[in-house]
Amino acid sequence: MPYIRTLEPAEATGELAELYREIEARRGTVANIYKLSSLDPSLMSAHRQLYETVMLSAEGLLRLEREAIGLAVSVANGCHYAIWHHSQALREVGGSEPLVVSLLLGDQPDDESV
C-alpha cells in the first residue's frame, strides 16, 4: 500500500476515468505504478506516454527483449513490484518459463529458452 493518497478506477472521474479506461483496455488492469499519479492525471498521462514509447515502440528491440531487460534490471535492483510486473509481461509476450526463471535467478539463458 502506498503512503500517498491514490484513487482507484471506481473513484475516478473526468480525465482520470478516461485514462484508467484506456489503460484497462490495453492491459486488462491498472498497474499500481499508474495509481500513484492518480491525483495528477497529466502526470499519469506523461508517465504512460514514456512507458509506451520505451516498452512498446516498433523500433529497435523486440518487446520480449525489453521485458527481459526490465526483469533482469528489476532483479538486480531487488524491486519486487517490478520483478512481478516484468515477469508477467514477459510471459504475456511469449517469454518461456525457463527464460523467466533464469532471469530471476541471474543465470545465463541458453538459446532454446528464449
Side-chain angles (χ1 to χ4, degrees):
M1 167 174 268
Y3 291 105
I4 63 172
R5 186 171 163 298
T6 61
L7 296 173
E8 292 296 320
E11 302 171 273
T13 60
E15 182 183 357
L16 178 61
E18 180 59 29
L19 282 167
Y20 276 164
R21 278 192 292 276
E22 290 171 8
I23 293 167
E24 285 178 333
R26 186 169 194 129
R27 297 280 303 150
T29 187
V30 177
N32 289 335
I33 195 77
Y34 285 124
K35 292 176 187 177
L36 288 174
S37 57
S38 62
L39 298 181
D40 185 348
S42 64
L43 177 61
M44 182 186 295
S45 183
H47 174 218
R48 179 177 172 220
Q49 184 177 4
L50 174 64
Y51 177 84
E52 290 181 359
T53 299
V54 171
M55 296 304 288
L56 306 178
S57 172
E59 302 295 322
L61 299 174
L62 299 172
R63 173 79 187 277
L64 184 139
E65 294 168 321
R66 294 168 202 243
E67 293 297 349
I69 291 167
L71 178 55
V73 170
S74 300
V75 169
N77 289 337
C79 180
H80 299 288
Y81 174 82
I83 289 169
W84 179 88
H85 174 81
H86 288 293
S87 63
Q88 290 298 110
L90 184 56
R91 287 180 182 97
E92 288 173 14
V93 296
S96 67
E97 198 64 27
L99 172 62
V100 173
V101 170
S102 69
L103 289 168
L104 287 170
L105 297 175
D107 297 335
Q108 292 292 329
D110 59 30
D111 290 338
E112 289 91 41
S113 67
V114 177

